[in-house]
């Protein structure tokens, strides 16, 4: 991810912290609609079960920054489970990365670069992050000339279940 994308990612997440707080439009059905009926892309997340569609909390659509009300997406996951993130072509072409946050979306604890042009990324394991509850936020690289640097953000919460280490024979 380039420096501009990282800088805007920090600014962008101030809006992500509002997850279900405020916005210009409601999201539904795998896409979010802006006030004019335009649609924004959703991403897909899979971690051991069926894929889940995640709507953005914010997106730059037609040069206008949009924020959306959306219910937070959480996955209960087992340890050592591969996470597959899939983004639509429009996001893959713009470039994207994954930011790792604590359970409150307040402290960024890591950044994961995704190869340019990739629509899928599967190099994250549910045990890669130390706290058992955390967020992965897919962040589209921003265009500093559009939407004042605002870009797409798709937060997904993970709650990792503990495995009992004791066995009986």
């Amino acid at each position: 991810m380039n420096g501009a994308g990282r800088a805007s990612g920090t600014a962008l997440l101030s809006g992500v912290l509002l997850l279900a707080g405020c916005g210009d439009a409601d999201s539904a059905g795998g896409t979010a609609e802006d006030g004019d009926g335009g649609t924004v892309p959703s991403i897909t997340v899979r971690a051991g079960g069926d894929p889940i569609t995640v709507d953005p909390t914010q997106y730059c659509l037609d040069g206008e920054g949009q924020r959306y009300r959306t219910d937070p997406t959480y996955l209960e996951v087992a340890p050592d489970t591969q996470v597959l993130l899939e983004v639509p072509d429009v996001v893959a072409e713009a470039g994207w990365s994954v930011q790792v946050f604590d359970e409150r979306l307040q402290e960024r604890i890591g950044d994961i670069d995704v190869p340019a042009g990739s629509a899928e990324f599967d190099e994250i394991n549910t045990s890669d992050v130390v706290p058992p509850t955390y967020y992965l936020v897919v962040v589209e690289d921003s265009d500093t000339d559009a939407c004042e640097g605002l870009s797409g953000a798709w937060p997904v919460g993970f709650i990792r279940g503990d495995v009992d280490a004791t066995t009986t024979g």
Side-chain angles (χ1 to χ4, degrees):
M1 181 167 152
N2 63 32
R6 282 192 200 279
S8 67
T10 300
L12 133 98
L13 286 167
S14 64
V16 172
L17 294 174
L18 301 174
L19 276 182
C22 65
D24 297 326
D26 289 329
S27 65
T31 61
E33 293 186 3
D34 70 359
D36 299 322
T39 58
V40 297
S42 297
I43 66 164
T44 303
V45 179
R46 180 187 298 234
D50 292 331
I52 301 177
T53 300
V54 179
D55 293 329
T57 55
Q58 62 186 44
Y59 193 73
C60 180
L61 183 65
D62 299 327
E64 295 291 324
Q66 304 290 322
R67 295 187 195 263
Y68 305 94
R69 290 183 190 168
T70 180
D71 292 329
T73 300
Y74 297 93
L75 296 170
E76 291 185 36
V77 296
D80 296 319
T81 302
Q82 179 184 39
V83 176
L84 173 64
L85 301 169
E86 296 178 88
V87 301
D89 290 341
V90 67
V91 176
E93 290 168 7
W96 58 289
S97 65
V98 181
Q99 296 178 350
V100 184
F101 277 81
D102 68 359
E103 73 278 358
R104 291 193 173 107
L105 271 173
Q106 292 180 352
E107 180 182 348
R108 184 168 19 174
I109 55 180
D111 293 295
I112 303 165
D113 290 326
V114 175
S118 297
E120 294 183 355
F121 189 74
D122 65 358
E123 296 181 28
I124 301 171
N125 180 298
T126 57
S127 293
D128 287 343
V129 181
V130 174
T133 304
Y134 56 91
Y135 276 87
L136 297 180
V137 182
V138 171
V139 178
E140 183 178 35
D141 291 352
S142 66
D143 176 355
T144 56
D145 295 331
C147 299
E148 298 177 1
L150 180 84
S151 65
W154 297 262
V156 181
F158 288 82
I159 303 169
R160 186 176 57 238
D162 292 330
V163 175
D164 187 3
T166 60
T167 59
T168 58

